[in-house]
Amino acid sequence: MLADEVGLGKTIEAGLILHHRLHIGLSERILVIVPESLLHQWLVEMLRRFNLRFSLFDESRCQEYEGENPFQSEQLVLSSLDFFQQNSHRKEQAMQVDWDIVVVDEAHHLQWNQQAPGESYLFIEQLAENSAGLILLTATPEQLGKETHFAQLRLLDADRFYNFDLFLEEQREFEPIAHLAEKIVKQAALNVADEKQLLKLVDQKLCADFLLNFADKALRQEVLDQLIDRHGTGRILFRNSRHMVQGFPQREFYAYPLEDAQEGQDSIYLRWLVRQLKALDKVQVLLICKHAETVLSLHRQLCDKFAIKAAAFHDGMSILERDRAAAYFADQDAQVQILLCSEIGSEGRNFQFVHHLILLDLPENPDLLQQRIGRLDRIGQKHIIQIHVPYIVGSKQHSLCRWYSEGLRLFQANSNAASEVYRIQKQALEQVCLSEQQYGLDELVSSGRTLMQKVEEQMRQSRDVLLELNSCRQDVAGKLMASIEKNSQPQILWRYMEELFECFGVDSEYHSEDCVILHAGQLQRVSHFPGLPEDGVTVTVNRDMALAREDMQYLTWEHPMLVAAMDLVLSGNVGNAAISVIKHEQLTAGQYLLECLFLVECSAPLHLQLSRFLPATPIRILVDQKQQDLTVQFAHNELPEVAEKIETDQITAFISSEHKNINAMIASAEQKAETNMQDIISLAQTEMLAVLAREIRRLDALSQVNPAIKPEEIAALQEHAIASHGFIKGAKLRLDAVRFIISS
């Protein structure tokens, strides 16, 4: 369960999980179920961020597969919960498919109580029972209420969370542990009761050392690590909060009261907008309103009447049209000052290079307001976000502006409490907005402010510090980020891609720095180069460029184009055999050698993940015509080809005359590679047993203090180790490539 606060990227986190599992082969068939309004956002996010091409399934799409199960036709399926509710026979078809993972967004909307679970909840429950994995994206536990939170956990592990009353009792027992963890985090003094409790929760020696050296950072972290591991709920639930993640920008809020006039509201807002854009003097601005019609009207008038460069971005446009609009706005040379967005049109888009936000048609639901601001208020935003809200005095926009700014203070900072306050005040808010005289507005604002303080305090009291610490472990994240940056090596990647393009006849045309346009060349060696459309594609290896220009594809080592191109190389005969003429001072003219490249391959079920211990490992062997091993004496890059023309007929005749000795050389090289392979297998076995034995011991210790650890988990891990040992032991050697070398 991913239960982050609003705006922290639950969709991106889910995408990371799906992408990783698909990339390493642990998952193949995935169903994502979201509210109708989020279909487009998910489609765009999965495609733009992870190159995952989901197929959108609705009733019209399903009707194309008359007489067969439509959900069997695609591997990655995206559909809405509303669609399944309206077409019950599609539920049955979806449940007949063996999904590797089912993802449910906005899962807190699934209704459940002990007497009468809702139909949608029962549907997801049945899907979960028939699927290998389930990911729920939901509001934070503080927002859900305990019964709804229990219902979500029950979907993830019905054996563990089977009784609501027992769950409540466990929660009460856990609260003192959370409070103790919070004290340790804040370095607050522990009383005698705290010390006795800590002694029961962590290793005795560690507890004693920590109490004697309370200021020691390493000991404090070790104590927290044990508390998280033994008593936290992070094995099933992750929740990030802004105060833990940090790195978010500050905000400044500006309200602009406008007097009503005979010319109408649209004209009043237009005149204000033109003045504001001129005052900002070409600084880029994002404007979000509710309807596409407003976007089109403003766009037409700004461009035609006032000669202001503007781009339109709304839900009536195709994905390609939106990409072009976003790219036009992001292009600094185009000097577009404002991007006009509708509510739905801006979903899932990243405009963090802008720091001025104008809001029209304020939504009544605070979650929608926070999503609007979230287009700019993201990690990586380098500027203070300046929020501009114009309103006509006495209008609905005026009432909402005051409620949000003075009551909920959402223009100043995000808050999880806003949803609960909205639920409580919804009826009163609607009445105030309908009143032309704004009756009850002052009371609404005042009571909203009081409610926000009360709900936020309740949430603070119920915070699970261990869960937060486990969800956002800065030390682990920092090491992972450093590893990613070290391995990404964009310039090395680009040099490799250039060699691939040259090898397969793909033309590359300079576009701009770090960017090229790829086209199918006239001499292309394959009928279709992977990921290359007929009209070409613009690609970049520059991450910052890709973030600003969503019309460009961002090439990484796991990009589908690169992965498929590597498969072309590995599955074909490119480079499998070569002849080289070399010169080397330690080799005599006429001497010949054989350079063999073998692969150690371990064929095993993907769920064992043995590539962690024994990936496809190359073994290079270099032998001379007397079958002497020269691998150590001469590295591959010490034997470069010389620029001499090879006489094909002469070389062919020579190889034919020496074929018996060459076969003997290959056999000798294979024998030497077999010896090397046994050392590689031995190291892999040692590493695998060390890792899995450590995890088995850890789970065994955890099971003594944490009932969430089941004996079945430990037994499964033991079987995992036994199976892994057998598959690693059975690894095979394969000759992958050979180079015949002649010294001149």
Side-chain angles (χ1 to χ4, degrees):
M1 182 192 296
L2 303 176
D4 292 353
E5 289 182 359
V6 174
L8 292 190
K10 291 189 285 286
T11 308
I12 297 297
E13 290 171 1
L16 285 168
I17 295 169
L18 299 182
H19 178 267
H20 178 68
R21 292 185 65 85
L22 286 165
H23 187 63
I24 64 176
L26 287 178
S27 300
E28 294 181 356
R29 194 179 287 274
I30 295 171
L31 172 64
V32 175
I33 300 175
V34 305
E36 189 85 34
S37 61
L38 297 180
L39 280 172
H40 180 263
Q41 177 182 343
W42 268 86
L43 194 67
V44 170
E45 292 276 11
M46 293 301 105
L47 179 61
R48 297 298 176 222
R49 310 299 181 205
F50 305 102
N51 293 294
L52 298 180
R53 296 183 178 274
F54 274 82
S55 297
L56 196 58
F57 271 64
D58 54 17
E59 184 56 24
S60 61
R61 173 71 180 267
C62 290
Q63 287 175 358
E64 296 175 8
Y65 301 91
E66 189 175 350
E68 47 185 300
N69 189 334
F71 298 104
Q72 296 281 10
S73 64
E74 297 287 349
Q75 297 289 88
L76 306 179
V77 175
L78 174 62
S79 196
S80 74
L81 190 59
D82 302 322
F83 160 65
F84 285 114
Q85 288 174 325
Q86 295 161 11
N87 301 276
S88 57
H89 61 295
R90 301 302 181 194
K91 293 181 183 179
E92 296 297 327
Q93 291 176 322
M95 287 188 288
Q96 291 168 10
V97 178
D98 293 326
W99 303 105
D100 294 314
I101 298 180
V102 173
V103 181
V104 183
D105 196 4
E106 303 287 339
H108 48 280
H109 293 313
L110 300 174
Q111 299 298 314
W112 179 89
N113 61 58
Q114 296 186 73
Q115 289 73 37
E119 286 186 21
S120 296
Y121 184 93
L122 292 173
F123 169 54
I124 299 301
E125 184 178 42
Q126 289 174 296
L127 274 177
E129 289 174 356
N130 298 326
S131 305
L134 177 66
I135 299 175
L136 301 179
L137 282 70
T138 181
T140 60
E142 301 99 318
Q143 291 175 275
L144 297 176
K146 292 189 180 296
E147 189 171 58
T148 306
H149 182 42
F150 170 76
Q152 311 306 314
L153 295 172
R154 183 177 174 276
L155 285 174
L156 293 163
D157 192 344
D159 295 332
R160 169 78 177 86
F161 302 98
Y162 62 91
N163 184 285
F164 182 54
D165 294 329
L166 285 176
F167 170 72
L168 292 177
E169 185 179 337
E170 284 185 11
Q171 290 281 294
R172 285 191 292 271
E173 292 175 356
F174 181 75
E175 283 179 9
I177 301 176
H179 290 313
L180 176 60
E182 188 169 15
K183 275 190 172 184
I184 295 172
V185 169
K186 293 181 176 180
Q187 301 182 44
L190 303 184
N191 57 37
V192 175
D194 293 332
E195 293 178 358
K196 287 182 178 179
Q197 184 185 17
L198 185 62
L199 189 61
K200 297 176 183 177
L201 298 173
V202 300
D203 292 341
Q204 290 186 6
K205 185 178 185 307
L206 174 61
C207 180
D209 291 343
F210 173 61
L211 294 176
L212 287 173
N213 303 276
F214 192 72
D216 190 304
K217 290 183 180 180
L219 285 173
R220 182 185 303 111
Q221 189 58 52
E222 193 173 350
V223 167
L224 288 171
D225 286 344
Q226 278 204 13
L227 286 173
I228 290 168
D229 203 27
R230 296 185 177 188
H231 308 284
T233 53
R235 286 164 51 80
I236 198 170
L237 170 64
F238 294 89
R239 184 200 65 195
N240 286 300
S241 59
R242 285 182 171 242
H243 80 274
M244 289 295 294
V245 176
Q246 299 181 343
F248 292 92
Q250 294 179 315
R251 299 179 188 174
E252 292 178 355
F253 169 64
Y254 303 95
Y256 301 86
L258 306 172
E259 293 299 326
D260 198 358
Q262 300 299 319
E263 56 187 315
Q265 290 191 5
D266 292 346
S267 297
I268 294 171
Y269 285 131
L270 176 63
R271 281 194 295 107
W272 173 86
L273 180 58
V274 172
R275 289 197 308 271
Q276 190 66 22
L277 291 176
K278 289 181 178 178
L280 289 172
D281 191 23
K282 298 182 180 179
V283 173
Q284 286 191 297
V285 176
L286 175 68
L287 181 149
I288 302 179
C289 58
K290 188 172 184 179
H291 301 293
E293 292 79 7
T294 308
V295 167
L296 293 170
S297 175
L298 288 173
H299 182 256
R300 183 177 61 255
Q301 295 183 78
L302 287 175
C303 294
D304 297 347
K305 287 186 178 182
F306 301 97
I308 294 174
K309 276 197 170 184
F313 195 102
H314 57 83
D315 44 298
M317 301 166 71
S318 68
I319 293 177
L320 182 59
E321 288 171 330
R322 295 185 206 191
D323 281 347
R324 287 173 177 165
Y328 179 48
F329 181 55
D331 188 348
Q332 295 300 308
D333 294 333
Q335 295 185 334
V336 180
Q337 186 176 9
I338 184 168
L339 179 65
L340 306 161
C341 290
S342 66
E343 194 92 67
I344 297 175
S346 67
E347 284 180 347
R349 294 288 176 158
N350 171 20
F351 300 110
Q352 68 185 49
F353 58 91
V354 181
H355 56 277
H356 282 274
L357 176 65
I358 295 175
L359 299 176
L360 298 183
D361 313 323
L362 289 174
E364 293 181 17
N365 190 324
D367 285 347
L368 286 177
L369 176 66
Q370 295 188 101
Q371 286 172 13
R372 282 191 185 187
I373 299 172
R375 302 276 66 80
L376 271 60
D377 187 1
R378 315 172 77 85
I379 296 175
Q381 172 64 260
K382 296 179 174 62
H383 301 278
I384 295 173
I385 296 172
Q386 300 186 44
I387 301 172
H388 309 269
V389 180
Y391 61 82
I392 294 172
V393 176
S395 66
K396 176 182 177 180
Q397 179 99 341
H398 183 187
S399 299
L400 287 170
C401 183
R402 280 199 58 197
W403 185 59
Y404 281 133
S405 63
E406 300 173 32
L408 278 59
R409 295 186 59 79
L410 288 185
F411 294 126
Q412 291 79 4
N414 276 25
S415 175
N416 287 333
S419 296
E420 178 62 14
V421 173
Y422 173 62
R423 186 188 67 79
I424 296 169
Q425 290 197 310
K426 183 178 180 181
Q427 189 174 357
L429 176 65
E430 289 173 351
Q431 290 175 352
V432 169
C433 289
L434 289 172
S435 170
E436 294 182 2
Q437 288 74 32
Q438 298 181 299
Y439 288 133
L441 178 57
D442 289 338
E443 183 182 346
L444 179 76
V445 169
S446 177
S447 60
R449 184 164 50 244
T450 303
L451 273 171
M452 282 290 284
Q453 293 170 352
K454 179 181 177 182
V455 175
E456 285 179 341
E457 178 59 25
Q458 289 174 347
M459 289 183 172
R460 193 192 68 78
Q461 293 290 339
S462 63
R463 274 180 60 214
D464 183 342
V465 178
L466 289 181
L467 176 57
E468 291 182 0
L469 288 171
N470 188 47
S471 298
C472 181
R473 307 186 74 168
Q474 298 285 6
D475 55 336
V476 177
K479 291 176 183 177
L480 183 59
M481 288 169 63
S483 176
I484 291 171
E485 290 175 358
K486 180 182 177 181
N487 291 313
S488 61
Q489 301 178 349
Q491 296 310 316
I492 293 176
L493 166 63
W494 184 243
R495 287 197 294 271
Y496 177 72
M497 290 303 296
E498 286 183 316
E499 290 183 10
L500 276 178
F501 297 149
E502 183 179 354
C503 176
F504 289 101
V506 175
D507 292 340
S508 61
E509 173 189 346
Y510 179 82
H511 176 280
S512 56
E513 188 177 358
D514 293 331
C515 305
V516 298
I517 305 170
L518 302 179
H519 297 282
Q522 292 183 345
L523 301 177
Q524 191 165 298
R525 294 180 57 175
V526 289
S527 59
H528 175 68
F529 188 79
L532 182 60
E534 290 183 8
D535 57 347
V537 63
T538 306
V539 300
T540 180
V541 293
N542 185 312
R543 185 175 181 275
D544 292 333
M545 177 68 72
L547 283 171
R549 294 287 301 270
E550 294 188 343
D551 58 320
M552 295 182 180
Q553 290 205 26
Y554 176 46
L555 292 185
T556 61
W557 289 105
E558 70 274 5
H559 189 282
M561 177 187 286
L562 183 57
V563 172
M566 285 180 172
D567 286 341
L568 273 181
V569 174
L570 295 173
S571 61
N573 56 12
V574 176
N576 281 7
I579 298 174
S580 298
V581 176
I582 66 163
K583 280 186 178 181
H584 197 286
E585 60 183 13
Q586 295 181 28
L587 298 174
T588 57
Q591 187 176 357
Y592 65 90
L593 305 91
L594 206 60
E595 187 176 29
C596 298
L597 191 66
F598 296 90
L599 280 182
V600 180
E601 296 178 322
C602 178
S603 298
L606 289 171
H607 74 271
L608 294 177
Q609 300 183 64
L610 293 189
S611 60
R612 294 178 295 167
F613 313 113
L614 185 55
T617 305
I619 297 177
R620 173 181 172 266
I621 301 293
L622 179 69
V623 294
D624 65 9
Q625 60 207 69
K626 296 179 181 179
Q627 300 176 27
Q628 292 180 325
D629 188 352
L630 303 180
T631 308
V632 177
Q633 288 93 316
F634 299 98
H636 174 76
N637 57 9
E638 293 175 352
L639 302 173
E641 291 182 335
V642 295
E644 289 187 11
K645 184 179 179 181
I646 296 177
E647 297 294 338
T648 306
D649 294 340
Q650 193 176 4
I651 291 290
T652 303
F654 179 73
I655 291 176
S656 297
S657 66
E658 295 289 327
H659 76 276
K660 285 186 178 179
N661 190 47
I662 291 172
N663 286 339
M665 292 167 70
I666 292 174
S668 174
E670 186 172 7
Q671 188 176 15
K672 292 175 173 59
E674 284 278 359
T675 302
N676 291 354
M677 181 180 71
Q678 295 308 315
D679 293 336
I680 292 170
I681 288 175
S682 178
L683 286 172
Q685 292 278 31
T686 301
E687 185 183 1
M688 179 274 297
L689 290 171
V691 169
L692 295 186
R694 184 166 60 247
E695 183 63 12
I696 289 169
R697 289 194 299 270
R698 172 178 165 271
L699 287 183
D700 190 45
L702 285 177
S703 66
Q704 309 302 317
V705 294
N706 191 335
I709 311 298
K710 302 174 184 176
E712 293 86 348
E713 287 186 69
I714 300 173
L717 201 55
Q718 291 170 337
E719 292 176 8
H720 186 130
I722 293 170
S724 297
H725 182 275
F727 282 110
I728 292 175
K729 186 178 180 181
K732 303 294 183 184
L733 190 71
R734 176 172 67 84
L735 178 60
D736 187 58
V738 63
R739 181 167 71 135
F740 187 73
I741 302 171
I742 301 175
S743 176
S744 66

